[in-house]
Amino acid sequence: MSDPRLTPANSRVAHASLAGTVDAPRFTEGEWRQVETGILPLLASPEGPRERELLQGETFCVLEEVDGFAFGFCGRDGYVGYVFAEFLFPLNPPTHRVKAIRSFWQEDPDIKSTMRVFPLSFGARLRVARIEGDWARLTIQTPPDAVWFREAWIPSAHIAPVDTVEADPVNVAEMFVGTPYLWGGNSAFGIDCSGLVQAALTACGQDCPADSDMQMALGAEAQGAYRRGDLLFWQGHVAVVV
């Protein structure tokens, strides 16, 4: 039986790749869009529980929109679910990623600014228009009628080119020490065990599924003494050897 977490189909629509595999009234290739908010919950159903989270700049393939929710799957790992459609915009390929464990964008490039700020997690993806000294000006997308940010700036020390990767997953994981536990969390504002493993590995350019039972298929079973970077699994949990 196929895993519903990775099977982009519901009672009304399915992805075109599933034609001949599942029964559905309609098949579609979907439309890729981009997240334009700091953290976007991925829900099991409209108004349902959180399964995972998407970060600013990540992609989501929309198969249908109903009553303000978009059904589809994440570009990061193929995880299926529902998100609030208002935070999905046309693709605007990012140029940089957030390398600080936590950051923000704000309305003006001034460390003493009292204007609004917008929190960003490690791993968020951004499109930089230009860098001016200690600050980078961002290109952001907002609804036409929204009163959001006139401009968006982020400290330039907090970002790196989007195609650069970290060297050591353990070092990345240790950056999250002190982060609150959040079931289904994928950000530096709240994360769970499998979210931590995924964040650490993907930051180093390694593909990684979302949940701990899926992650058990990574690599080969370790032999002998534990080594730095090994993954340890037990019922419903995963940990990284440091």
Side-chain angles (χ1 to χ4, degrees):
M1 181 179 294
S2 59
D3 188 334
R5 296 170 295 179
L6 300 176
T7 305
N10 60 22
S11 61
R12 298 174 300 276
V13 66
H15 190 259
S17 63
L18 297 176
T21 303
V22 302
D23 292 326
R26 182 170 67 91
F27 292 89
T28 178
E29 291 286 350
E31 178 186 357
W32 284 100
R33 298 187 196 167
Q34 183 170 307
V35 174
E36 287 287 352
T37 189
I39 302 169
L40 182 62
L42 179 70
L43 309 176
S45 60
E47 306 288 0
R50 178 184 57 252
E51 295 279 9
R52 303 289 348 154
E53 292 176 326
L54 289 87
L55 302 181
Q56 163 70 34
E58 291 198 283
T59 57
F60 187 81
C61 184
V62 177
L63 303 182
E64 71 165 359
E65 285 188 45
V66 177
D67 296 331
F69 289 91
F71 171 73
F73 58 94
C74 304
R76 179 207 312 153
D77 52 25
Y79 213 103
V80 174
Y82 294 80
V83 298
F84 296 103
E86 65 183 299
F87 297 111
L88 298 178
F89 286 78
L91 296 180
N92 186 30
T95 60
H96 290 72
R97 62 179 178 86
V98 175
K99 68 176 183 178
I101 187 62
R102 298 173 193 89
S103 188
F104 52 86
W105 74 45
Q106 62 185 56
E107 284 191 287
D108 54 354
D110 184 349
I111 196 171
K112 295 183 179 180
S113 173
T114 58
M115 304 296 284
R116 292 173 296 177
V117 298
F118 186 90
L120 296 167
S121 171
F122 175 88
R125 293 168 172 256
L126 308 164
R127 187 169 183 84
V128 172
R130 65 179 186 272
I131 295 178
E132 298 182 5
D134 294 336
W135 294 88
R137 183 173 181 177
L138 306 177
T139 299
I140 58 174
Q141 302 183 83
T142 61
D145 57 347
V147 183
W148 285 13
F149 285 74
R150 296 177 293 104
E151 297 182 1
W153 298 81
I154 187 172
S156 55
H158 290 188
I159 59 175
V162 72
D163 57 354
T164 60
V165 296
E166 301 293 331
D168 182 359
V170 175
N171 286 345
V172 175
E174 289 180 328
M175 292 172 63
F176 285 82
V177 170
T179 300
Y181 181 86
L182 179 68
W183 180 271
N186 285 90
S187 85
F189 299 96
I191 201 164
D192 66 9
C193 59
S194 58
L196 177 64
V197 169
Q198 187 181 54
L201 292 181
T202 56
C204 296
Q206 302 177 42
D207 291 335
C208 181
D211 291 342
S212 59
D213 62 319
M214 302 174 180
Q215 293 169 354
M216 290 184 69
L218 294 171
E221 184 174 351
Q223 304 294 325
Y226 299 149
R227 296 182 298 175
R228 177 184 172 88
D230 283 349
L231 301 180
L232 304 180
F233 295 91
W234 62 101
Q235 184 65 41
H237 293 284
V238 60
V240 183
V241 177
V242 299

